Amino acid sequence: MDAMRLIVASRRALAHGAGVPELMTEVWQAQALAQAIGSRLAVSGPPELRGEALGLTELAGRGCGVLDTPDLDPGTLRAAQLTELDDARLTLLSLGGLLGEVGIALVGMASAAADEATYWQCMEAIDAADESRDRVLEMLRKLAAREEVHDG
């Protein structure tokens, strides 16, 4: 499935998450999708993005690692459905938006956390989402610089 469709599905699911367990699952799904997109860009993306894409893969993996792994059927894991990444710029713009929404959802969950473990899990996931988003923004900057060179 195309990366853009998966990002849209993740954004929709995150927006409609009802309780903490559902939101945590959607945050995990979004980080796993960011990891898959980073991997795809590292292998077959523009050469100037490969280092940042590897960094995104590592950071998003850390974002998954700090959260409890949800019990998902293999067919519902969005990251595993990634087959196409046609437009790196558009994908990264949308992924950056998704990661921003993940951070907002995590802040809300941390603020309402009933226990200290959930609070700290959210705080670590916020850091990972924020750093992942920084990598996405850096890749967008590099794409813009590349376009300036080609246009100039």
Side-chain angles (χ1 to χ4, degrees):
M1 188 179 296
D2 180 62
M4 288 301 300
R5 289 180 61 196
L6 293 168
I7 292 169
V8 168
S10 286
R11 289 177 95 166
R12 193 173 294 131
L14 186 63
H16 292 100
V20 171
E22 294 85 9
L23 284 171
M24 286 293 211
T25 295
E26 292 310 325
V27 165
W28 190 92
Q29 284 260 43
Q31 286 284 23
L33 182 56
Q35 186 178 24
I37 290 170
S39 293
R40 178 67 58 98
L41 287 171
V43 171
S44 59
E48 55 271 278
L49 300 186
R50 292 186 179 157
E52 295 296 330
L54 278 172
L56 173 61
T57 301
E58 291 172 14
L59 289 166
R62 191 184 88 204
C64 288
V66 299
L67 300 170
D68 294 331
T69 304
D71 186 23
L72 296 171
D73 292 326
T76 60
L77 179 59
R78 288 186 205 100
Q81 298 172 27
L82 179 65
T83 57
E84 298 174 44
L85 199 157
D86 294 329
D87 184 336
R89 184 183 165 285
L90 184 58
T91 298
L92 289 169
L93 281 169
S94 295
L95 182 60
L98 172 61
L99 290 168
E101 291 167 12
V102 161
I104 291 167
L106 285 163
V107 167
M109 286 187 288
S111 298
D115 60 90
E116 197 169 318
T118 300
Y119 172 81
W120 285 111
Q121 192 176 39
C122 288
M123 295 308 290
E124 289 181 39
I126 289 168
D127 286 344
D130 190 44
E131 290 178 33
S132 294
R133 189 166 184 268
D134 287 347
R135 291 294 171 122
V136 167
L137 294 174
E138 182 61 21
M139 284 188 277
L140 285 167
R141 188 194 64 72
K142 287 183 177 189
L143 280 177
R146 182 181 102 168
E147 289 173 12
E148 282 181 22
V149 168
H150 289 298
D151 291 344

